[in-house]
């Protein structure tokens, strides 16, 4: 090991060791995550060993290798702070050439729980398809090539996007990790159900393509050689060897460009003077209502905590009804889940402002001012929630083919959304709490009880407020000839939702105006 490589590897170990000092909780979390990851990898290795002799073992192994490579490619985008050595800009001022630096950083990348986990899973992949002396010899080479391809792929992606990832907008990419995990979990669940009913043979067409794409081609080479197809195995192994070679070359060029080219994000744009508002902003109503709406929509787009909450609600509101409909186990009424998830965003409206709420409080001098403020916030939510709830309802109805229930489900969704806006406005004034801007906590210490009362109490109240529309829906479904009048639920639900929203804002406005000092104190904590 050269001097530069040894130094960078020791630096990686020092970063890991120093990060665990002085915090028992951090050490415990690291130990638990390491044990869980390695235990899961060991179980995967055992599972692949049990697949030996199965006619579809090669398809499973090839697909697993491809999924591992995909994970290594996208993880740097979602978790850029997970490995400090992923940021080569920290080494820009050192007298290091790109190629020695590539070797050093590659060696450092092989140190950690992630590479060990990948090594164990890949070992299971190649062992499940290896047979005979030639197969095992190929498996050793394939294992090394596949691991190098995964690590090099992650490095290329991280280097190409390092300046984006270390910026505020780049860190906001981590918000999408929740969406990826939620969608991925549902896809895995759906795929497992399909495999359980149709068998592993469903994987063969996909595996036939992936076995020619690195690093999955390395596993394909082991299977081909074990089956006596030496020419095919040699071609697949050549592809597997070409991948890390090309990736390392691309990485070296990326490092050269990164360490010699100026950072464009530090260049100030030319001052072109104040520009009048354009785009969708021009469509907002004039006065305070439009200003409040624009501020709320900017929070959704720019504030990481607010964006995370919206992304999660949008994802779950779509995943639950749609995936249940695709699996054939859903109901068209599951579409109301979208309105419910998005309606939660109305709760704790003032806590989203944190300590900056004092500037809003200075503009509220009467219940009328409070009403206009709350109305603007509710309208900002409706700009997103109304079309989204309608889209999810139509999509769920189309998947189930139950078009006759579309009007009543839309009416129920609009009524539920209106009820949640009403109770959310009242709960925001009665049970405000602070949202810490740093870390992953969404409630300041000591205010968890307020958050539970605000959200879950408001949801129960919203369900009770929807009772008239729910009762009408049930009556029309059980009565003779009621289906002919089910279309009435759409205008009734929309009108009821608008009425209950107006009433909720009217009731919340005087309380907001009267409790401004208490609200300001509550949301400024943490």
């Amino acid at each position: 090991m050269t001097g530069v490589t040894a130094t960078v590897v020791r630096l990686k170990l020092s970063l890991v060791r120093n990060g665990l000092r002085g915090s028992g909780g951090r050490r415990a979390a690291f130990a638990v995550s390491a044990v869980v990851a390695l235990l899961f990898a060991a179980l995967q290795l055992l599972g692949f060993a049990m697949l030996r002799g199965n006619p579809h073992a090669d398809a499973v192994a090839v697909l697993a290798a491809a999924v591992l490579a995909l994970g290594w490619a996208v993880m740097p985008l979602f978790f850029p702070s997970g490995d400090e050595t992923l940021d080569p800009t920290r080494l820009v001022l050192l007298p290091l050439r790109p190629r020695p630096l590539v070797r050093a950083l590659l060696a450092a990348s092989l140190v950690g729980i992630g590479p060990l986990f990948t090594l164990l899973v890949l070992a299971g992949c190649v062992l499940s398809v290896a047979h005979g002396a030639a197969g095992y010899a190929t498996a050793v080479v394939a294992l090394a090539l596949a691991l190098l391809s995964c690590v090099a792929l992650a490095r290329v992606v991280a280097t190409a996007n390092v300046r984006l990832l270390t910026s505020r907008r780049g860190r906001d990419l981590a918000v999408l990790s929740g969406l990826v995990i939620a969608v991925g979990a549902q896809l895995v669940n759906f795929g497992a159900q399909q495999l359980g009913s149709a068998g592993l043979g469903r994987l063969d067409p996909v595996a036939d393509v992936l076995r020619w794409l690195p690093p999955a081609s390395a596993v394909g080479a082991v299977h081909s050689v074990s089956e006596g197809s030496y020419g095919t195995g040699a071609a697949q192994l050549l592809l597997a060897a070409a991948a890390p070679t090309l990736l390392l070359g691309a990485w070296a060029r990326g490092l050269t460009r990164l360490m010699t080219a100026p950072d464009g994000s530090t260049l100030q744009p030319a001052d072109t003077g104040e520009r009048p508002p354009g785009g969708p902003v021009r469509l907002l109503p004039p006065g305070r209502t439009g200003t409040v709406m624009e501020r709320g929509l900017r929070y959704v787009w720019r504030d990481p905590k607010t964006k995370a909450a919206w992304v999660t609600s949008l994802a779950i509101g779509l995943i639950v009804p749609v995936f249940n409909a695709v699996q054939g186990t859903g109901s068209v009424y599951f579409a109301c889940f979208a309105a419910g998830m998005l309606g939660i965003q109305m709760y704790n409206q003032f806590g989203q402002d944190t300590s900056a709420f004092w500037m809003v409080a200075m503009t509220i001098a009467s219940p009328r001012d409070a009403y206009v403020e709350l109305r603007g916030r509710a309208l900002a939510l409706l700009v997103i929630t109304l079309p989204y709830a309608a889209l999810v309802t139509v999509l769920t109805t189309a998947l189930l083919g139950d078009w006759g229930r579309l009007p009543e489900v839309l009416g129920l969704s609009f009524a539920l959304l209106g009820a949640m806006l009403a109770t959310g406005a009242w709960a925001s004034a009665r049970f405000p709490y602070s949202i810490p801007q740093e870390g992953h906590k969404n409630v300041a210490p000591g205010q968890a009880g307020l958050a539970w009362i605000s959200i879950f109490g408001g949801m129960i109240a919203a369900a009770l407020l929807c009772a008239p529309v729910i009762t009408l829906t049930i009556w029309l479904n059980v009565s003779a000839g009621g289906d002919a009048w089910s279309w009435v639920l759409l205008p009734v639900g929309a009108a009821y939702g608008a009425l209950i929203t107006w009433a909720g804002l009217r009731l919340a406005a005087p309380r907001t105006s009267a409790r401004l000092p208490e609200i300001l104190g509550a949301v400024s904590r943490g």
Side-chain angles (χ1 to χ4, degrees):
M1 186 179 292
T2 63
V4 175
T5 302
T7 302
V8 174
V9 171
R10 287 197 300 269
L11 175 62
K12 172 68 175 288
L13 295 174
S14 298
L15 288 171
V16 175
R17 183 173 58 252
N18 295 336
L20 299 177
R21 286 180 177 174
S23 175
R26 187 176 297 177
R27 288 194 296 270
F30 179 83
V32 171
S33 62
V35 170
V36 171
L38 295 180
L39 179 61
F40 182 76
L43 292 175
Q44 292 284 332
L45 181 59
L46 179 61
F48 279 115
M50 296 174 63
L51 273 177
R52 286 179 60 85
N54 188 292
H56 304 291
D58 61 312
V60 177
V62 166
L63 186 62
V67 171
L68 271 178
L70 178 62
W72 277 89
V74 301
M75 284 303 105
L77 297 177
F78 293 136
F79 303 103
S81 60
D83 186 353
E84 294 292 334
T85 61
L86 282 176
D87 185 4
T89 58
R90 299 171 181 268
L91 308 175
V92 166
L93 298 181
L94 299 179
L96 299 173
R97 291 185 175 275
R99 293 197 177 278
L101 186 59
V102 164
R103 291 193 295 268
L105 291 178
L106 180 62
S109 299
L110 295 173
V111 177
I113 300 174
L116 182 57
F117 172 86
T118 305
L119 179 65
L120 291 175
V121 176
L122 288 174
C125 293
V126 297
L127 289 177
S128 66
V129 297
H131 301 283
Y136 284 112
T138 307
V140 175
V141 179
L143 179 60
L145 292 176
L147 180 61
L148 285 176
S149 295
C150 289
V151 175
L153 179 60
R155 285 297 187 173
V156 170
V157 173
T159 301
N161 297 279
V162 65
R163 283 174 176 161
L164 169 65
L165 296 176
T166 54
S167 66
R168 181 187 65 82
R169 290 187 178 276
R171 287 190 293 269
D172 287 348
L173 283 172
V175 171
L176 298 179
S177 61
L179 174 61
V180 172
I181 293 172
V183 174
Q186 291 294 329
L187 289 175
V188 169
N189 181 40
F190 180 68
Q193 290 184 359
Q194 294 295 315
L195 291 177
S197 60
L200 295 177
R202 294 288 294 272
L203 297 177
D204 289 340
V206 179
D208 289 339
V209 176
L210 293 178
R211 70 177 71 251
W212 289 99
L213 299 177
S217 61
V219 179
V222 177
H223 177 258
S224 298
V225 172
S226 299
E227 294 296 320
S229 302
Y230 298 110
T232 302
Q236 291 171 326
L237 196 62
L238 183 62
L239 288 174
T245 303
L246 295 175
L247 288 172
L248 291 175
W251 184 14
R253 290 191 296 272
L255 279 176
T256 302
R257 185 166 54 252
L258 182 68
M259 300 176 75
T260 57
D263 185 358
S265 64
T266 62
L267 302 177
Q268 296 294 328
D271 186 9
T272 56
E274 184 178 355
R275 291 176 296 178
V281 176
R282 293 179 298 179
L283 303 177
L284 300 178
R288 176 167 186 157
T289 299
T291 302
V292 174
M293 291 178 65
E294 181 180 357
R295 184 181 68 225
L297 294 174
R298 288 186 183 275
Y299 276 168
V300 173
W301 182 250
R302 293 184 175 181
D303 181 63
K305 285 294 181 72
T306 305
K307 184 186 295 186
W310 272 95
V311 167
T312 303
S313 296
L314 290 169
I316 297 178
L318 176 67
I319 288 171
V320 170
V322 169
F323 272 82
N324 278 280
V326 170
Q327 295 173 12
T329 59
S331 167
V332 69
Y333 295 104
F334 281 9
C336 296
F337 204 82
M341 287 301 301
L342 296 178
I344 293 176
Q345 303 308 315
M346 187 63 187
Y347 292 82
N348 196 35
Q349 276 291 306
F350 307 126
Q352 298 174 14
D353 297 347
T354 63
S355 58
F357 177 68
W358 72 269
M359 292 187 290
V360 177
M362 294 290 291
T363 66
I364 299 177
S366 65
R368 172 64 183 174
D369 294 335
Y371 171 75
V372 176
E373 174 73 23
L374 289 170
R375 183 181 63 185
R377 292 173 182 252
L379 289 175
L381 265 70
L382 288 174
V383 168
I384 303 174
T385 55
L386 267 181
Y388 190 79
L391 175 64
V392 172
T393 303
V394 172
L395 181 59
T396 306
T397 304
L399 290 173
L400 293 173
D402 196 1
W403 291 104
R405 298 191 184 277
L406 177 61
E408 62 184 81
V409 178
L410 277 174
L412 278 173
S413 295
F414 294 156
L416 175 61
L417 184 57
M420 297 200 73
L421 291 178
T423 56
W426 189 86
S428 296
R430 182 64 184 84
F431 303 109
Y433 57 90
S434 177
I435 301 177
Q437 292 301 294
E438 299 296 332
H440 300 284
K441 294 183 178 180
N442 290 319
V443 182
Q447 294 185 326
L450 284 174
W452 281 90
I453 294 174
S454 173
I455 296 177
F456 289 98
M459 291 171 65
I460 295 173
L464 294 176
L465 288 175
C466 287
V469 181
I470 296 175
T471 302
L472 178 60
T473 303
I474 296 174
W475 180 76
L476 288 176
N477 278 276
V478 300
S479 62
D483 290 343
W485 292 94
S486 62
W487 62 269
V488 175
L489 286 168
L490 177 55
V492 168
Y496 183 81
L499 178 63
I500 204 69
T501 300
W502 173 82
L505 296 178
R506 283 293 184 185
L507 289 174
R511 183 173 292 272
T512 301
S513 178
R515 299 189 72 247
L516 279 178
E518 292 87 345
I519 296 174
L520 182 59
V523 302
S524 299
R525 291 182 58 184

